[in-house]
Amino acid sequence: MDKNSVIGLVLIGLIMIVWMQFMAPENKPVQERMTADVTGVEETSEKSDTGSPAVAVSAVPENFGEFSAAAEGEEKLLTIDNELFTAVLSSRGATLKSMMLKKHLNGNRERFDLIKNSDSGALSLFFQTSDGKNIDTRDLYFEPSDTQKTVSLTGEESYTVTYRLDVAPERSITIVYTFTGDVYGINYDVQFTGFDGVLPGNEYQLEWDGGLLYSEKNIDDELQHSWASAYMGGSLLKLDASDPSKEYREEQSGVAGWIAVRSKYFVASLIPSSPTDGVYLKGSGKPGEKFEDYTAALKFTLPQNEKTHSESLVLFVGPVDYNVLHSLDVKLEKIMDFGWDWLTRPFAEYIILPIFDLLSKLTSNYGLIIIIFALLIKLVTYPLTMASTKSMKKMSALQPMMKELQEKYKDNPAKLQSELGRIYKEAGVNPLGGCLPVVLQMPLLFAMFYVFRSSIQLRQHGFLWAKDLSVPDSILDLGFSIPLYGDHIALFPILMGGAVYLQQKITPTAQSNDQMKAMMYIFPVMMLLFFNNLPAGLGLYYLMFNVFSIAQTFYINKTSSADDLPKISLEKQGQKPQKKKKGGKK
């Protein structure tokens, strides 16, 4: 790797760092919306020996106005077990209280609950009544249509349960869930009867409250990948509560394709089937704990003079898996961060992920998939590498002549540049020939960084000594942290640093000054420091990429002959012959 290549790589890296730090959209501090009037309201929850809530009673039901009668009751739980998850519904609020996925475990390799607010549930309808009461349906008791406690589904089997809340004669709220045996999506239908002209502004919201429970051991990494978002007008609206001392809010009117809250590897989303009136996003830190609490809501209008109003949605609670999200056909995969939409995202979506999917059909070992992928990339970029190496070999052969010209025309820069340009042209070399291939490959390499950092496919898949390719392959925990390095020693980055050094050592260079000699040691160390805290899969990819680059460079060097080098000398340029004639003996 010559000086131009190193400079190009470092500059692009700096651009990426600046973009990540300073170009992210600024979140807006919250301006609190209306909240439920819960002054004097207390809730008690007793648990049976099995851990299930028994009876929860609101202490002051009159705070709910005409809904007071529904504020008292007995909670009834229903467990839905299909091939992908085990969900628990509650008649108190007709809400989702628990969601445990079967194919994905937490960092301790145990099943875990994604619902943070397991006491109150995650889903609710939120609206204001004509007498000024703010209603959250999680405070109200619905009547379920089924008395079963557990339902099991497989394949295309489906099950529907209806929750009904009678408020007054000819006035009711009905919520219907429909589950299928082999999909994550849950059909969610809500119906208001007799509420036309009753609610101020004829507005109500359907919201997901509480974010998602974290699953990984590295909580700081989870925090960086947690946010709330909405898809509106073909673009992503994102709210990240990055400062735990603040609250953030984003509220916009218009049609939304979906709203969602996510952690690093999991997402909960509400997908409407009809136009919405807007979205509401709120986020804040949790006092005393590392957790970002998010609320995401869809806004709807109850049309006047419409006795019965219905909305149909899909509730998705599952993995941040590109193929799964893409199959919903609502652009929910846009919640995945692949970097620049105009540059690295196309590489991720149309090159990296499809190749990974193809290779996964041949082997389930993602370590081997990464190695094969690195080999394929090297084969594809071989013409660029060949041209780059030959260009640098030619530049190296021209060094003596260039030094002589620099000495001769040290007082005439214009003449020096003219002569150098002529030599480059006659030799058929490009001074940037070594840098250009590296620059052309950078979008793909950056896309790899984003995919490997966030891909759930690598999660909890091991290879060699790495137990999990989605986290650093630590072979020794130090017990203390070293600045710029971390609190552990990962092996893949060490091997990669050695490979980078060897690759530079055998690559022809157009420069042999002290700066380039120093870079041969500095650059591998920089890569070691940078990759020590990145996923092992990314370290494995770059290690194998450099190993294949070394083999490729050895082959090019071995197969290159003297005929490939430029046949140019100063004598042939008409430079030295004139001096010989003047200084020769007569």
Side-chain angles (χ1 to χ4, degrees):
M1 184 177 292
D2 68 357
K3 183 179 180 181
N4 289 327
S5 301
V6 173
I7 292 175
L9 185 60
V10 172
L11 286 177
I12 294 175
L14 290 174
I15 291 172
M16 177 181 175
I17 293 173
V18 171
W19 170 76
M20 292 176 66
Q21 294 295 326
F22 300 107
M23 299 303 291
E26 181 180 358
N27 289 314
K28 300 178 181 179
V30 67
Q31 300 174 4
E32 195 60 56
R33 67 166 178 170
M34 62 178 184
T35 54
D37 181 9
V38 294
T39 304
V41 178
E42 296 181 355
E43 296 181 359
T44 61
S45 179
E46 299 179 358
K47 291 193 175 182
S48 64
D49 294 338
T50 61
S52 299
V55 179
V57 181
S58 299
V60 191
E62 56 267 23
N63 282 285
F64 300 100
E66 63 178 330
F67 290 88
S68 296
E72 296 181 294
E74 179 180 353
E75 184 179 38
K76 300 175 184 178
L77 302 181
L78 172 63
T79 299
I80 308 295
D81 189 81
N82 73 0
E83 296 178 3
L84 301 174
F85 59 78
T86 300
V88 177
L89 300 180
S90 171
S91 62
R92 184 171 182 244
T95 188
L96 180 67
K97 293 199 68 171
S98 175
M99 174 64 76
M100 300 180 70
L101 306 184
K102 294 184 175 182
K103 294 185 177 181
H104 303 281
L105 307 177
N106 65 11
N108 296 319
R109 307 297 176 100
E110 299 171 346
R111 292 191 68 185
F112 71 105
D113 198 342
L114 281 168
I115 307 300
K116 176 68 174 177
N117 295 339
S118 58
D119 54 343
S120 60
L123 280 174
S124 70
L125 293 171
F126 185 87
F127 54 87
Q128 191 177 61
T129 62
S130 56
D131 56 354
K133 304 297 182 181
N134 294 327
I135 301 299
D136 185 328
T137 53
R138 288 175 295 180
D139 296 318
L140 309 176
Y141 291 84
F142 288 68
E143 188 63 33
S145 62
D146 199 329
T147 59
Q148 293 188 76
K149 294 185 178 179
T150 302
V151 175
S152 296
L153 302 171
T154 58
E156 297 181 358
E157 293 178 347
S158 63
Y159 172 78
T160 299
V161 59
T162 301
Y163 291 93
R164 182 182 176 90
L165 176 66
D166 290 314
V167 182
E170 299 185 355
R171 184 177 299 168
S172 63
I173 300 175
T174 303
I175 296 175
V176 181
Y177 290 89
T178 302
F179 297 83
T180 305
D182 58 356
V183 296
Y184 286 103
I186 303 168
N187 290 336
Y188 180 95
D189 301 313
V190 58
Q191 183 180 91
F192 285 86
T193 301
F195 278 86
D196 51 313
V198 174
L199 305 184
N202 296 315
E203 295 179 349
Y204 71 95
Q205 294 181 179
L206 174 60
E207 65 181 30
W208 178 280
D209 179 30
L212 289 175
L213 195 65
Y214 292 163
S215 60
E216 308 307 298
K217 292 182 178 180
N218 189 339
I219 301 300
D220 292 328
D221 192 39
E222 282 267 26
L223 290 170
Q224 292 180 8
H225 292 84
S226 299
W227 58 77
S229 56
Y231 191 69
M232 303 182 72
S235 61
L236 186 69
L237 176 65
K238 177 179 173 181
L239 182 138
D240 186 0
S242 55
D243 188 342
S245 65
K246 298 179 180 179
E247 287 191 345
Y248 299 84
R249 187 188 75 168
E250 187 71 52
E251 192 167 5
Q252 289 195 15
S253 301
V255 178
W258 47 261
I259 56 168
V261 298
R262 66 162 294 177
S263 58
K264 182 172 183 179
Y265 291 116
F266 303 98
V267 60
S269 177
L270 286 167
I271 307 166
S273 61
S274 57
T276 65
D277 290 325
V279 300
Y280 172 83
L281 305 176
K282 186 178 77 170
S284 62
K286 275 283 189 180
E289 62 177 302
K290 287 188 176 182
F291 182 76
E292 293 175 357
D293 194 3
Y294 291 102
T295 297
L298 291 169
K299 296 182 179 182
F300 294 97
T301 297
L302 279 170
Q304 293 186 0
N305 303 321
E306 186 175 293
K307 182 176 179 59
T308 300
H309 170 73
S310 300
E311 291 290 348
S312 295
L313 305 97
V314 172
L315 168 64
F316 177 91
V317 184
V320 181
D321 184 314
Y322 181 86
N323 293 326
V324 174
L325 302 182
H326 183 69
S327 67
L328 297 173
D329 198 26
V330 292
K331 303 295 184 182
L332 187 54
E333 67 274 10
K334 294 291 185 180
I335 201 172
M336 300 183 71
D337 183 9
F338 289 145
W340 294 284
D341 285 343
W342 53 273
L343 183 61
T344 55
R345 191 175 190 94
F347 278 91
E349 289 187 314
Y350 304 121
I351 297 178
I352 299 173
L353 291 174
I355 293 177
F356 262 53
D357 291 339
L358 179 62
L359 294 177
S360 65
K361 296 177 181 178
L362 303 177
T363 176
S364 59
N365 189 315
Y366 273 89
L368 293 178
I369 290 175
I370 291 172
I371 293 174
I372 296 172
F373 184 82
L375 177 60
L376 291 175
I377 296 301
K378 287 308 300 179
L379 292 176
V380 171
T381 58
Y382 176 76
L384 288 174
T385 306
M386 172 69 81
S388 172
T389 304
K390 287 187 175 182
S391 176
M392 287 188 288
K393 287 176 73 70
K394 290 180 179 180
M395 289 293 294
S396 180
L398 291 173
Q399 283 303 299
M401 184 186 306
M402 294 170 63
K403 287 183 178 180
E404 191 171 343
L405 285 174
Q406 289 170 354
E407 180 65 24
K408 181 177 181 179
Y409 296 111
K410 60 183 179 181
D411 297 327
N412 191 346
K415 182 64 175 178
L416 174 62
Q417 291 300 318
S418 175
E419 290 298 316
L420 289 177
R422 178 167 55 82
I423 290 177
Y424 291 151
K425 183 177 180 181
E426 294 185 13
V429 298
N430 184 350
L432 298 179
C435 182
L436 185 59
V438 176
V439 174
L440 293 177
Q441 294 178 52
M442 289 310 295
L444 177 62
L445 299 181
F446 281 150
M448 290 291 296
F449 168 80
Y450 282 107
V451 171
F452 279 50
R453 187 183 63 167
S454 60
S455 176
I456 198 172
Q457 281 83 356
L458 300 182
R459 184 176 181 266
Q460 298 181 354
H461 281 272
F463 183 71
L464 298 178
W465 57 85
K467 297 180 180 179
D468 188 341
L469 289 170
S470 68
V471 298
D473 59 312
S474 174
I475 58 173
L476 178 64
D477 292 328
L478 300 175
F480 57 90
S481 181
I482 300 176
L484 301 179
Y485 186 66
D487 58 1
H488 63 271
I489 297 176
L491 186 53
F492 279 139
I494 295 175
L495 298 176
M496 183 190 61
V500 169
Y501 173 79
L502 181 57
Q503 168 69 5
Q504 292 181 119
K505 192 76 174 176
I506 66 173
T507 300
T509 176
Q511 301 286 342
S512 59
N513 51 40
D514 292 338
Q515 291 88 343
M516 284 305 300
K517 291 179 180 179
M519 283 304 298
M520 287 188 63
Y521 299 97
I522 295 175
F523 190 65
V525 173
M526 290 173 54
M527 299 295 282
L528 169 62
L529 296 175
F530 181 69
F531 277 86
N532 191 64
N533 294 293
L534 293 180
L538 197 61
L540 174 61
Y541 170 79
Y542 278 96
L543 168 63
M544 297 311 302
F545 188 85
N546 280 281
V547 168
F548 293 137
S549 296
I550 292 170
Q552 198 174 66
T553 304
F554 266 122
Y555 172 76
I556 294 174
N557 289 340
K558 187 176 181 179
T559 56
S560 298
S561 64
D563 295 335
D564 298 322
L565 301 178
K567 308 297 183 182
I568 295 178
S569 66
L570 290 178
E571 288 81 358
K572 292 183 179 181
Q573 300 298 326
Q575 302 291 338
K576 287 188 176 181
Q578 294 179 1
K579 289 184 177 181
K580 288 183 179 180
K581 288 180 180 179
K582 291 180 180 179
K585 294 182 179 180
K586 295 183 180 179

